[in-house]
């Protein structure tokens, strides 16, 4: 059984048919990437999985359990955590308070303390800035904080939406290296990323979306070698 199964999902924004029957799976321990152009449906797919945009048709399961019965905030306790595009940190709270908010549904203080220590090991900059207001941090630091906050919920599935957006190249490399470390430590990841080159270097498998439909599915290596993907998304003629 796949950890995550999305089956024939249709989703709408008003009358706009944004997802047109997409199906995908994510196995436990994988990094799976969604690539595609602007408006392809990548973020909409994450919003459907995380409960922010309930599908009108199809179903989504996590470890075999139908997620459609839960509201978005309830899915956190079910093991789904999302790092949204634009980071969405609590600007007027400190770094440490943001991390504590990631564990709002938990009561195991020893476990929370251990997870905060782990986040600080992944992102030493956050420990240095733990008393700083999140809104005064750089874009890269806020991305680290958003990822750390999501990890504080102990997710079985981490949804990452455009983690490299707006970051300097050196920070992009660091963020993707950390994504690999998070995965190696046992967290399954579904990654949406405009930088298809970095996404496919990081992922095990990938799906290509166009206008709300999946048009390609393969291992990340094979997608990197696919002439259509090379021309459309990797800048290789």
């Amino acid at each position: 059984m796949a950890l995550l199964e999305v089956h024939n999902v249709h989703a709408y924004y008003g009358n706009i048919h944004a997802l047109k029957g997409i199906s995908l799976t994510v196995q436990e321990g994988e990094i799976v990437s969604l690539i595609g152009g602007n408006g392809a449906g990548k973020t909409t797919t994450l919003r459907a999985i995380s409960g922010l945009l309930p599908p009108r048709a199809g179903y989504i399961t996590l470890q075999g359990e139908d997620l459609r019965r839960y509201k978005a905030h309830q899915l956190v306790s079910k093991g789904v955590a999302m790092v949204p595009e634009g980071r969405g940190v609590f600007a007027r709270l400190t770094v440490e308070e943001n991390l504590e908010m990631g564990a709002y549904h938990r009561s195991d203080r020893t476990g929370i303390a251990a997870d905060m220590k782990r986040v600080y090991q992944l992102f030493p900059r956050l420990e240095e800035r733990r008393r700083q207001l999140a809104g005064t941090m750089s874009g890269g630091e806020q991305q680290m904080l958003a990822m750390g906050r999501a990890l504080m919920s102990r997710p079985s599935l981490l949804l990452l939406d455009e983690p490299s957006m707006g970051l300097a190249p050196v920070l992009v490399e660091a963020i993707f290296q950390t994504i690999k470390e998070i995965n190696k430590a046992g967290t399954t990841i579904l990654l949406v990323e405009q930088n298809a080159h970095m996404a496919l270097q990081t992922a095990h498998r990938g799906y290509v979306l166009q206008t709300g439909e999946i048009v390609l599915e393969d291992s990340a290596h094979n997608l990197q070698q696919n002439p259509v993907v090379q021309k459309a998304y990797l800048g290789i003629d």
Side-chain angles (χ1 to χ4, degrees), residues 65-209:
E65 184 175 11
D66 193 341
L67 298 184
R68 293 174 299 175
R69 70 184 72 177
Y70 301 106
K71 297 185 183 300
H73 69 276
Q74 296 172 316
L75 288 179
V76 177
S77 61
K78 289 294 175 181
V80 180
M82 182 168 172
V83 179
E85 180 182 340
R87 293 129 201 171
V89 300
F90 298 106
R92 297 185 180 182
L93 299 183
T94 66
V95 166
E96 197 153 289
E97 288 168 339
N98 268 269
L99 294 177
E100 289 168 350
M101 288 295 290
Y104 74 93
H105 67 291
R106 296 172 56 184
S107 56
D108 56 321
R109 293 188 177 183
T110 302
I112 290 171
D115 287 343
M116 190 167 292
K117 182 177 179 181
R118 177 191 169 211
V119 168
Y120 286 149
Q121 288 171 341
L122 278 170
F123 303 108
R125 185 78 59 85
L126 296 183
E127 186 170 23
E128 295 170 9
R129 306 289 176 89
R130 63 186 183 275
R131 303 298 181 199
Q132 185 173 334
L133 294 181
T136 66
M137 299 170 72
S138 71
E141 291 165 344
Q142 289 189 21
Q143 184 64 54
M144 296 174 195
L145 179 55
M147 291 170 64
R149 183 182 62 192
L151 290 174
M152 288 299 296
S153 69
R154 282 197 179 174
S156 54
L157 176 66
L158 180 63
L159 308 176
L160 295 176
D161 193 1
E162 303 285 6
S164 76
M165 181 174 284
L167 301 186
V170 65
L171 284 177
V172 171
E173 297 251 352
I175 287 292
F176 275 93
Q177 183 57 44
T178 304
I179 290 170
K180 290 180 181 179
E181 292 175 19
I182 291 168
N183 177 248
K184 285 178 182 177
T187 302
T188 303
I189 297 171
L190 181 58
L191 168 68
V192 160
E193 177 54 54
Q194 194 71 31
N195 186 335
H197 179 72
M198 289 299 298
L200 293 177
Q201 278 195 332
T202 304
H204 300 103
R205 291 190 301 113
Y207 293 87
V208 179
L209 277 74

Side-chain angles (χ1 to χ4, degrees), residues 1-4 26-30 63 156 183 186-188:
M1 179 192 303
L3 176 70
L4 174 74
V26 180
Q27 303 294 333
E28 188 169 353
E30 282 191 309
Q63 296 177 321
S156 54
N183 177 248
T187 302
T188 303

